[in-house]
Each structure stands twice: as structure tokens, then as C-alpha cells.
């Protein structure tokens, strides 16, 4: 049973473009929604996170949009750069346990 | 910057052997987590410690797996009688707090290959 569904599986964006990754969850008890970035050979690193009482959160070029009624949230990366090429995971948490999506491999081409 | 460290970074073993991994969390972090990540998948929760107490174990953690966190500092994850299906990246994370919404900081992982 996959509690957090993430799409697309892979994404190719031109430098300067907008990258959009979508996630949907099932468990309404989730109360914390972080996004992690993972480079090859490294552990995931927190990028940005949101709580369900907020509809949008922006940090630099990264924005989370959250739709509680639809049980969906998305990550937007503005002005995408080659250095953003990595795998991105959405996650949802209840208490301490993170449930991750399957990941999106983002490639930003010059 | 002393982040979460894990040793070894890579481990190759033969089926049936026992292996042990070590995780050193960020100093003062009271919570420590183990996750498993297979190729093309997101990390999956295995177990969680608050200080030295193991408070939750996933059903993914079979009887062959055991984790400890003596004195609430470093943690070890042991896999007995390894199977090829155990091949994965084992990730450790730590956090400070008790709300459940604090940031979990991940280590670089230990990649296990069971031949």
C-alpha cells in the first residue's frame, strides 16, 4: 500500500525553466510534509517543508503548494539550474515516521 | 560541521553471513531513525529510538534484524543470516525534539550487497 504517490518518475527541464513535481497522500492524519533532495551517493537532505494549515511556502527558488482538500502537494523549482539535477522525494509524516514517495529524477539541461 | 556519520559506507558479504552497521548521530540529537532504500525507491522506515529506547519497529524489520542504541548515543543495526533481498542502502537519520515535525538529518548511508 503506497501512502504517498509521486509523479513524474523523471523530469527533464531546460536551464531557467520551471520544474514541477506532484505528490498525493491518502492518510489524513499526516501533519508534516517535507521535500528532500538526494544526490548520488549521498543521503537525502531536507529542502523545504510545509504544515497542512498553510497553502503555500516559498524559500528562494523553491515553493511548496499544498491542497488539503485534494490531499495533494507539489514542489515548484523556479529558474532551474544544472546544479538542481538530483532525485527529489516528497514525504509525509505523522508523529516521527516519514513516509516517502518513490522519487523524481530531475535533469536540468543547459 | 559534524553531521550524521555511518560506517562502513559499503559492505559486500556472502549470503548467510552476519553484518553490523554503525550510525553516529548529530551530537545532542535525542531521536535516531533507521531507513532502508532500494534502487529507484524512496527510503522506508525501519525503526526509531528516543534516547536509548527503541519505540517503534516496522514490519519490514524481520527477526533477523536487530538495532541498539546503548547510552542514547551511537546506534548499531545488525542483520543476521543475510539474504540477497537485504541488498539495499541503509540510512540513518537523527533529529532533536519531540513534536514529530522536526527536521530529520540523514547520513550518507551504508550500501550493502549480499552475494
Amino acid at each position: 500500500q503506497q501512502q504517498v504517490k509521486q509523479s513524474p518518475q523523471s523530469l527533464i527541464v531546460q536551464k531557467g525553466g520551471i520544474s514541477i513535481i506532484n505528490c498525493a497522500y491518502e492518510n489524513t492524519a499526516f501533519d508534516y510534509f517535507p521535500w528532500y533532495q538526494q544526490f548520488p551517493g549521498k543521503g537525502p537532505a531536507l529542502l523545504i517543508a510545509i504544515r497542512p494549515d498553510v497553502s503555500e511556502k516559498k524559500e528562494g527558488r523553491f515553493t511548496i503548494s499544498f491542497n488539503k482538500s485534494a490531499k495533494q502537494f507539489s514542489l515548484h523549482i523556479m529558474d532551474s539550474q544544472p546544479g538542481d539535477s538530483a532525485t527529489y522525494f516528497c514525504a509525509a509524516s505523522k508523529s516521527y515516521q516519514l513516509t516517502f514517495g518513490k522519487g523524481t529524477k530531475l535533469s536540468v539541461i543547459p | 560541521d559534524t553531521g550524521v556519520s555511518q560506517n562502513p559506507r559499503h559492505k559486500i558479504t556472502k549470503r548467510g553471513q552476519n553484518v553490523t552497521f554503525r550510525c553516529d548521530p548529530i551530537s545532542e540529537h535525542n531521536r535516531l531513525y533507521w531507513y532502508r532504500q532500494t534502487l529507484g525507491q524512496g527510503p522506508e522506515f525501519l525503526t526509531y529510538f528516543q534516547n536509548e529506547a527503541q519505540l517503534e519497529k516496522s514490519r519490514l524489520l524481520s527477526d533477523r534484524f536487530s538495532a541498539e542504541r546503548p547510552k542514547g548515543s551511537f546506534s548499531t543495526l545488525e542483520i543476521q543470516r543475510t539474504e540477497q533481498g537485504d541488498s539495499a542502502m541503509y540510512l540513518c537519520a537523527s533529529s532533536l525534539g519531540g513534536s514529530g515535525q522536526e527536521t530529520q538529518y540523514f547520513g550518507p548511508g551504508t550500501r550493502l550487497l549480499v552475494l
Side-chain angles (χ1 to χ4, degrees):
Chain A
Q1 180 184 1
Q2 187 184 355
Q3 293 196 58
V4 179
K5 295 184 179 180
Q6 183 171 348
S7 63
Q9 189 174 350
S10 62
L11 182 61
I12 300 175
V13 174
Q14 279 206 305
K15 179 182 175 181
I18 303 173
S19 304
I20 302 174
I21 304 170
N22 300 300
C23 284
Y25 63 97
E26 298 169 7
N27 188 346
T28 55
F30 288 140
D31 59 4
Y32 177 64
F33 300 87
W35 284 87
Y36 279 82
Q37 179 188 56
Q38 186 175 31
F39 293 103
K42 304 287 187 182
L46 179 69
L47 195 60
I48 187 172
I50 198 168
R51 291 172 176 75
D53 55 345
V54 176
S55 61
E56 185 175 283
K57 183 174 182 180
K58 184 176 180 179
E59 288 184 0
R61 296 184 295 111
F62 302 93
T63 300
I64 299 179
S65 296
F66 188 85
N67 186 330
K68 188 174 181 178
S69 61
K71 295 189 285 186
Q72 295 175 347
F73 57 112
S74 61
L75 175 69
H76 291 62
I77 305 174
M78 312 298 288
D79 187 25
S80 299
Q81 299 297 312
D84 297 330
S85 297
T87 299
Y88 292 80
F89 294 96
C90 62
S93 172
K94 175 182 178 300
S95 185
Y96 51 83
Q97 182 175 332
L98 286 172
T99 301
F100 286 84
K102 290 191 173 184
T104 296
K105 185 174 182 179
L106 172 65
S107 299
V108 181
I109 55 177
Chain B
D1 178 18
T2 54
V4 178
S5 61
Q6 293 187 246
N7 288 288
R9 293 292 311 278
H10 303 274
K11 179 71 178 179
I12 300 174
T13 191
K14 293 182 179 179
R15 185 164 50 96
Q17 298 294 305
N18 298 343
V19 294
T20 299
F21 310 140
R22 176 177 171 127
C23 170
D24 287 272
I26 294 172
S27 181
E28 306 302 326
H29 277 193
N30 57 336
R31 292 185 165 188
L32 186 146
Y33 316 79
W34 285 99
Y35 291 83
R36 181 174 69 186
Q37 185 176 23
T38 54
L39 203 59
Q41 301 293 318
E44 294 175 292
F45 172 82
L46 291 178
T47 190
Y48 147 70
F49 290 85
Q50 177 142 330
N51 300 312
E52 67 275 9
Q54 187 174 17
L55 297 186
E56 182 73 22
K57 291 196 293 186
S58 162
R59 63 180 183 277
L60 293 175
L61 215 64
S62 75
D63 292 343
R64 297 183 296 105
F65 288 70
S66 63
E68 294 183 341
R69 191 183 183 198
K71 302 179 183 178
S73 56
F74 71 92
S75 175
T76 58
L77 178 67
E78 181 183 17
I79 308 174
Q80 296 182 327
R81 305 181 303 281
T82 52
E83 301 173 356
Q84 289 185 325
D86 297 331
S87 296
M89 173 81 86
Y90 290 84
L91 292 163
C92 175
S94 69
S95 70
L96 177 64
S99 70
Q101 297 181 347
E102 67 272 14
T103 300
Q104 293 188 23
Y105 295 87
F106 283 81
T110 294
R111 185 169 293 282
L112 172 67
L113 178 61
V114 181
L115 301 176

